[in-house]
Structure formats: C-alpha cells, structure tokens
Amino acid sequence: MSNEQRVDIPPYLQESLLTDAVAEMAGQRLVCISPGLAQFAGMAAVALPQAAVSCSYLDQYRANLAIDYWRNRPPNLWIECAADLPDRETDVVAFPFSASGEAELTRDLIQAGHERLRLGGKMYAATNNQQDAWLDEQLRKLFRKFERRAVSDGALYVGTKTEPLKKVKNYSCEFAFRDRGRLIRAYSRPGVFSHRHIDPGARQLIEEMEIDARARVLDIGCGAGVVALAAAYRGDSMQVHAIDSNARAVQCTQRGAELNGLTNITTELNADGKFLGAGSFDVALANPPYYSGFRIARHFLTAGREALRPGGRFLVVTKRTDWYEQNMPEMFNDVSAVERKGYYVFRGIRPSD
C-alpha cells in the first residue's frame, strides 16, 4: 500500500496546528511525538526532505500503528518506540499536547526537548485547549524568547533556545512498599502507570497471589514492576517475566530489579500478546486498565491464556466485575473471585486444548 493509496486519517487538532507551521521550520534534524499516527511527522518529512525527522512513542502499540500507516514512508522519516526522545542535538522539537494529558509527563518532555535543542533551535508546542494557561506557564519557565500565537480551537507556542537550562529537574522517583514484612524498592517515571506510588489494585493482587517457589510467572502490563518485584521475592527459584507495551515501564521494571538485587526478573517490550516462552508459564498476573471498553482487558486475558501451560493459573484484579464474570469462563475453567477492599481478584485455570 503506497502513501498515495493510503486512506488519510485526520490528525488530532494539536497535530494539525503543528502541520500549519511546518513551512517555517528549518534545520537538519526534527524530533517530535504524536498522539495519533505520526501525521505531522510524515508531512514534515515530505515538506522538509533535507531534514531527518524522528517521531518518538512511549507505547509500542501506537508506534506499530504509525509504522503501518506510513508503511511506504519518506526515506527521511523514522518512527520508534523508546523510553526517551532521541539523545542527539536537534534543530526543531515539535510537541502536540492534549488538554487532558498527564501534567508531569508534559513537563518532563518539554524539559527533555529543550535539552536536545541546539542554541537557536526552536520548540513548537501545540494544545487543543484554546483557553490554555498551564502549558503557556510551563514553557515560559524554559524559554526567554517565546511567543504565543492565536489559532482557532487551540494554542500554538514557539520557543527559541537562547541558553542551556540552569537547573534540570529529575522527574523519575524511587518509592518503597512492603510485602510480607519485606521492604521492596521500586522506580517509576512519568508516563508509567501508577507513577510515584503502588496502585491499590496492584496491592490487592500482591496480597492475594499465592505462588509456588519454583513457578514461572508472567506479569502482563507490568507498569513500574511492583507486582513482578513482589512475585520475584516469593521464592529463590522463581522466574518472573514482565511484559509491557510502554518502553518506560520496561525500563522502570528493569531498574527496580537492579535496586533490589533481583536477578530472576526478565522483561519484554511487547504489544502483540505473543510473548517469549508462551505456553510454558505456571502463573499469569494482570491489572488491566479500565479504559478502551475492555479491549485491553480482553487482550490481556487472551494473551495470558496463550502464555500459560495447561493447568496454569490466571489472576486478574479489577473493580468492575460484570465483564469478567461474563467473559472469563469463555477462556478459563474454575473461574472464581475474591473481594479485597473494593477490588476483586479473579482466578481461572487454563484448560487443555
């Protein structure tokens, strides 16, 4: 499928605002992110054939969608999934932000973008909030040379780097939690589920899981890795494999294992549900998100079933029981649930094929 044959999908408003300004962007390198299918990045690569255009995603699933959309992409366009923006000097950074986005991740990204800009380089930041004041304030803290442009339905900002930052803030953090009297250290970054604290659902899943000391355990959607870390301490012969589609989540879980001196945790960046070692795990654990109309929850259940050996156990924590009561018996035997402090931990057994 050529780009000419591709069905064009309208970009998000904030990405359209960046596209409207692409004619004035100049330089040999441009770095951006995208909430959609890298539409701005693709248009910039076409409009600026002399520039290397990199579009960075935290999430592998979204990156894969964009790569497929630009299957026959311009030769100067790169789309990648990574925990951080490309670590090289650039002339232009372009950020399309949503008014409903995560504040700390936004601050982290604009600081990282500023650090990567050469002196004289420009940051273009767009938001779909016409009444925005918050992003304006954050950008003014970083740029002395700064302008806000009036645009329809949103706001477009342009900052020019005139000097390095005097102080670089560290948005990552370490936090600790206890499991069975043991203090476990975890590491998290903005953009990772349950940044800075243990999620209450994960806490109930940890409290409820009973794992044989020699089990092979799969943590699906590991986030900062708290469930994987707790599982790894349950036995010296335990082997834990932690999966997430978010590159920062995988990075944080690896860092958490290092902080605790654990060598029995492996990680995998994966969005398709076809995991390394599928069919051999004794236990699969999951704390799926609630958004997307249970699409992700179904993906977790399907992937977990395929990853388990026959007779293997699947444990999932949720606050919403109806969907699991209706759907888990389609994939697992002996489905049951235990209520813990407003959460429900469902169990099921992988049947033989």
Side-chain angles (χ1 to χ4, degrees):
M1 179 175 65
S2 68
N3 288 334
E4 289 75 17
Q5 296 171 318
R6 188 190 64 240
V7 176
D8 286 327
I9 297 175
Y12 286 90
L13 170 67
Q14 57 269 38
E15 212 160 345
S16 293
L17 298 179
L18 294 175
T19 301
D20 292 342
V22 73
E24 67 184 69
M25 299 179 187
Q28 297 301 307
R29 293 185 183 277
L30 185 153
V31 172
C32 67
I33 62 173
S34 173
L37 297 170
Q39 290 100 326
F40 162 74
M43 295 303 295
V46 172
L48 305 169
Q50 80 288 350
V53 179
S54 298
C55 186
S56 186
Y57 288 84
L58 290 180
D59 187 81
Q60 183 71 67
Y61 175 74
R62 294 185 178 275
N64 288 345
L65 289 177
I67 289 169
D68 185 64
Y69 184 74
W70 292 99
R71 192 175 305 170
N72 296 302
R73 56 188 175 273
N76 59 328
L77 172 62
W78 286 266
I79 300 171
E80 64 176 2
C81 175
D84 293 283
L85 299 175
D87 189 17
R88 54 180 176 266
E89 188 175 76
T90 191
D91 302 294
V92 176
V93 175
F95 291 138
F97 290 123
S98 169
S100 60
E102 181 185 335
E104 194 165 7
L105 177 59
T106 299
R107 287 194 289 262
D108 188 9
L109 286 170
I110 61 176
Q111 176 178 266
H114 187 285
E115 286 189 281
R116 284 156 177 75
L117 281 174
R118 63 168 175 81
L119 290 178
K122 292 187 176 183
M123 179 181 295
Y124 291 78
T127 175
N128 55 352
N129 181 7
Q130 194 174 28
Q131 307 301 319
D132 172 71
W134 183 86
L135 181 58
D136 184 302
E137 179 185 0
Q138 305 309 311
L139 290 165
R140 289 182 189 276
K141 293 177 182 178
L142 303 185
F143 293 95
R144 289 188 175 182
K145 188 175 180 181
F146 177 80
E147 63 175 308
R148 174 174 179 154
R149 299 179 183 175
V151 294
S152 62
D153 302 322
L156 177 65
Y157 303 102
V158 183
T160 302
K161 183 173 180 176
T162 57
E163 60 183 352
L165 296 176
K166 292 182 174 60
K167 183 178 181 180
V168 177
K169 184 173 181 178
N170 182 5
Y171 288 97
S172 65
C173 80
E174 293 182 19
F175 63 93
F177 65 98
R178 288 191 178 276
D179 177 44
R180 299 188 174 187
R182 184 190 300 274
L183 189 67
I184 300 176
R185 300 165 65 190
Y187 175 85
S188 71
R189 299 184 64 190
V192 175
F193 174 66
S194 198
H195 179 41
R196 296 190 179 277
H197 67 280
I198 183 170
D199 171 67
R203 163 58 73 189
Q204 301 314 314
L205 181 59
I206 290 170
E207 293 289 341
E208 193 61 30
M209 66 186 187
E210 296 292 339
I211 307 172
D212 183 82
R214 296 181 178 274
R216 297 195 69 229
V217 179
L218 179 69
D219 182 10
I220 305 174
C222 59
V226 295
V227 173
L229 294 171
Y233 269 119
R234 295 291 176 93
D236 293 338
S237 299
M238 188 84 63
Q239 293 296 318
V240 180
H241 193 50
I243 308 289
D244 208 292
S245 65
N246 184 303
R248 283 192 175 184
V250 171
Q251 180 192 67
C252 288
T253 301
Q254 292 170 339
R255 177 59 176 155
E258 294 167 3
L259 288 173
N260 293 279
L262 293 167
T263 59
N264 59 338
I265 296 179
T266 55
T267 58
E268 181 182 348
L269 179 66
N270 187 300
D272 63 15
K274 299 175 183 177
F275 307 139
L276 295 174
S280 65
F281 290 96
D282 302 298
V283 179
L285 307 166
N287 180 15
Y290 296 109
Y291 60 84
S292 80
F294 291 100
R295 178 184 59 81
I296 297 176
R298 180 173 289 279
H299 176 65
F300 278 27
L301 264 63
T302 302
R305 185 186 189 282
E306 295 302 312
L308 288 167
R309 61 168 176 77
R313 294 181 296 128
F314 186 90
L315 280 75
V316 58
V317 64
T318 183
K319 273 190 169 182
R320 300 169 63 179
T321 61
D322 291 352
W323 186 87
Y324 289 92
E325 289 171 346
Q326 295 172 9
N327 290 276
M328 273 195 71
E330 297 177 4
M331 305 184 199
F332 299 93
N333 292 337
D334 302 328
V335 174
S336 62
V338 174
E339 190 272 335
R340 294 187 61 93
K341 297 183 179 180
Y343 289 85
Y344 294 83
V345 178
F346 278 79
R347 290 183 176 86
I349 305 296
R350 163 73 151 91
S352 300
D353 292 327

